[in-house]
Each structure stands twice: as C-alpha cells, then as structure tokens.
Amino acid sequence: MKHWLNELREELQQHDKVVLVTVALIRGSTPREAGAHMIVSDHGFKGTIGGGNLEFKAIDQARDLLSDGDNATLYQDYPLGPALGQCCGGVASLLFETVKATDPWVQQASEGMVTVSSLSGEQTRQVYNSALENVENLLPAKVRVVAGNISEPTELMEEEGYFLERVEDSRIPLYLYGAGHVAHALVSMLVNLPFKVTWIDNRSNIFGTDCPSDVDTKVVENQEDMAYAAPNGAFHLVMTHDHGIDLEITHAVLAENRFGYIGVIGSDTKRARFERRLNARGIDRVVLEKLNSPIGIPEITGKQPGEVALSVAAEMTILYQQIAEEMNETINEADGTVSRMPKQGE
C-alpha cells in the first residue's frame, strides 16, 4: 500500500492539478479514520475515504473544485445517516484541497514533518518548519505552537481555521525472502495491505517486470544479512528456494529477537527439524515458540501458489488489525473515548 504522499506525487506527474480529499475529523461511527486520503483527477481517483455514498459525493465535489481555480479549497461536514443513506450514523468532516505539482509543500514534505492546511484556502498547504521565516509569518502563533508539539497524526484547529497533519508512514515493514511462485502471488496482495514490503532474493532478474513499483527489491548473496539490518518490529516471511537458506535467515531473525512476526513456509516436519537445529545453535526455547510455521490461516487448505498466498495474506491482515486495535484501545483508554471503525461502505 503506497503512502498517500507518493500517490499524490505520481498523480501530479500525469495531471496538471488534482484534488486531495482528507478526512479531517470524525464524530461517531465512520468508515475511515481521520487522516485517510483520496486523490481525485479529471478522469479517476486513487485511495479511499471509505466507499459508499460518502465517497461518491466527495468525488463529485472534488471534480467541481477542479474547475473552480488553482487554489480552490473546501471544508465540509458529511452526516452519514439520512443524508447519505449510510448506516454508520457518524459525521465525517472532509477537507478538499486543489494541489498542483508546483506547490512547494508537495516536494518539501517528508517523513516526520508537519503540514498545515488552511480550511478557507487562504494559502496552499504549508510544511511547518521553524527555520522557514515565510511559513512562520503565514501561521498564527497558536497554530505554530501546536505544529511544533503535535503528538497525534492529525489535529483539527477548527476555530483557528487550520488542519495539521504529521507526515508519517504507518505501514509495518515486511521483509519477504524468496521470489518463487508463492512469493510472486503474495506480493501483489501485500502491496494493497498496510505493509512496506522489501522483497529479497539472491538471484538476479527473478522479481519479474511486473513487480509493483512500491516494493523495494534487493538482490543479496547472503539474505540473512537483511534480517540483521531490519528495523525493530518488522515482519519476516521466509520462503526461499532452499531450506538451508531458510534456516540461516530464520536463525538471524530469531538471534536478533527484534521482530514483530516471523513465519517460515513449510510443513510441521520442517518446523520440527528447524527447531532442533536452531536450539542446537543457542536459540532459546522461549524465542523458538515465537516461530510461525506452517504459515497462513488453517481455513484455507489449498496448495496452489495463489491459495497459499491468500492464506498468508489473510494471516498478515489479521495480525495487522490486532496491532491496530491494540493501539486504538490504548488511545481510547488515555482519552476516555470509545470508537468503532465499521467496514467500508457501511
């Protein structure tokens, strides 16, 4: 799944201008969270703010804005009940911003920075940076304080007329080792899920010409070296063409013991053999219990590459959602609120 900023930059290579639709605030039950994005051009759209009538109305509104001028902006509430026929019942506040490739913030924004949007469209979105005097002069003092200390991904300052958003990549790093039939089927699914995929093999020209552009491919002689370089909490899926290579990668991941998940393709027999060999190499039994093998959900039993890939993708989705739910529960406990994210289109 591409980061919305990368999607925006790609769309602006094809179109003179587009409309960036952002969920700025949610109240009650809504199909997407604050910070969800959709990019609308004259002939199409990328991303989603939840589907259903909300999305259809937003696309129509965005297309109208495209003809209203280069800096057209709109901030509007959308009740999802009787007005739109969606049973969520909540309210989504959407920010529509006309964006051109020449707008400075499009190229200036990067991971960790904060962007500031004017709800009235008095100026284009800005990248907050205390070192940039021109931006300092554009923003009220109260907005600058919040921008410099923002702790949440988004912050709506409705009374002041500004929407603040931290540029961050919330995808989980996922390292996929091996480029065989299952991996080829799997990678096309993973790119549509909340994972930042690094695809690794020791053979050149193995990834194919149709490899998704958002996947980082690595040809590495000793694939276990990538395990040592992976960030804390990364997911690791091991499915190379060689059991010996699988063992070396698995040993490296377990020895580091910094992973969020590790799964190795194979049978119960392969797992038992790996456990004996890894234990003999000094991997503690407690750590070995974190090894997932066979991988995938048990309800999908087919052995075709596409079936195995679907099973694994389902397991990855379940794990990601568990992490997201735990994070939401932590946030809700901190601020005393309770929220629910219904399925798209509800």
Side-chain angles (χ1 to χ4, degrees):
M1 186 171 67
K2 290 183 181 178
H3 191 278
W4 66 268
L5 186 55
N6 293 335
E7 287 273 25
L8 178 64
R9 288 166 175 164
E10 289 182 9
E11 285 297 293
L12 287 171
Q13 292 176 0
Q14 307 295 324
H15 306 280
D16 293 334
K17 61 182 179 179
V18 298
V19 171
L20 176 65
V21 185
T22 306
V23 180
L25 180 68
I26 60 171
R27 282 147 289 177
S29 181
T30 61
R32 287 299 306 271
E33 71 283 359
H37 299 87
M38 180 172 63
I39 302 158
V40 182
S41 65
D42 283 323
H43 306 294
F45 67 95
K46 294 287 184 68
T48 177
I49 56 171
N53 282 334
L54 171 65
E55 190 160 290
F56 291 134
K57 293 286 187 182
I59 291 171
D60 287 342
Q61 184 67 70
R63 295 253 167 81
D64 289 341
L65 280 183
L66 284 172
S67 60
D68 285 350
D70 287 345
N71 297 318
T73 299
L74 175 68
Y75 174 69
Q76 184 169 318
D77 291 339
Y78 286 82
L80 301 179
L84 291 177
Q86 292 185 224
C87 61
C88 301
V91 178
S93 299
L94 304 184
L95 175 62
F96 299 78
E97 298 171 275
T98 305
V99 183
K100 307 186 301 297
T102 54
D103 289 341
W105 77 269
V106 175
Q107 299 307 321
Q108 291 173 354
S110 62
E111 181 81 11
M113 292 184 175
V114 176
T115 62
V116 184
S117 301
S118 167
L119 301 182
S120 64
E122 293 181 1
Q123 65 263 345
T124 60
R125 188 180 285 227
Q126 306 291 317
V127 174
Y128 172 78
N129 186 335
S130 59
L132 298 177
E133 184 177 352
N134 59 326
V135 176
E136 286 283 286
N137 291 336
L138 286 172
L139 301 177
K142 186 175 181 179
V143 177
R144 294 201 303 269
V145 170
V146 174
N149 298 279
I150 189 170
S151 58
E152 299 297 325
T154 64
E155 182 77 31
L156 179 66
M157 303 181 69
E158 204 162 25
E159 291 185 4
E160 291 76 15
Y162 287 92
F163 172 72
L164 286 65
E165 181 171 19
R166 189 170 63 240
V167 180
E168 61 180 5
D169 194 341
S170 60
R171 297 174 298 175
I172 294 176
L174 188 151
Y175 283 58
L176 176 61
Y177 303 88
H181 295 299
V182 173
H184 273 270
L186 178 61
V187 78
S188 63
M189 301 177 190
L190 291 175
V191 294
N192 294 308
L193 298 172
F195 295 102
K196 184 176 182 179
V197 181
T198 301
W199 197 7
I200 307 147
D201 204 289
N202 59 1
R203 300 166 290 176
S204 59
N205 302 320
I206 194 68
F207 301 107
T209 57
D210 58 346
C211 177
S213 60
D214 202 38
V215 172
D216 186 14
T217 57
K218 301 286 187 184
V219 178
V220 182
E221 181 61 32
N222 298 310
Q223 296 181 61
E224 63 271 19
D225 290 345
M226 294 298 299
Y228 294 120
N232 294 341
F235 281 26
H236 299 263
L237 283 170
V238 185
M239 50 180 68
T240 79
H241 63 287
D242 186 294
H243 285 200
I245 297 175
D246 286 354
L247 180 64
E248 294 304 323
I249 297 168
T250 305
H251 177 260
V253 175
L254 293 176
E256 288 285 289
N257 198 18
R258 298 181 292 106
F259 55 90
Y261 168 92
I262 177 171
V264 180
I265 197 168
S267 62
D268 290 327
T269 301
K270 180 178 178 180
R271 180 196 175 105
R273 184 182 300 118
F274 271 35
E275 284 187 344
R276 289 194 300 271
R277 294 180 178 179
L278 291 165
N279 188 238
R281 291 190 184 192
I283 301 298
D284 188 85
R285 286 289 178 186
V286 175
V287 178
L288 280 173
E289 289 178 1
K290 301 177 184 178
L291 174 63
N292 295 274
S293 185
I295 53 177
I297 60 173
E299 291 82 359
I300 300 177
T301 59
K303 302 300 182 183
Q304 293 290 337
E307 294 171 321
V308 177
L310 179 60
S311 176
V312 175
E315 182 182 13
M316 296 299 98
T317 303
I318 291 169
L319 291 171
Y320 174 83
Q321 290 179 345
Q322 288 174 347
I323 292 172
E325 287 172 3
E326 289 171 0
M327 292 178 63
N328 285 337
E329 287 175 2
T330 300
I331 293 171
N332 290 340
E333 288 174 1
D335 64 17
T337 64
V338 176
S339 62
R340 183 182 75 89
M341 291 289 291
K343 295 179 181 179
Q344 287 190 354
E346 277 193 12

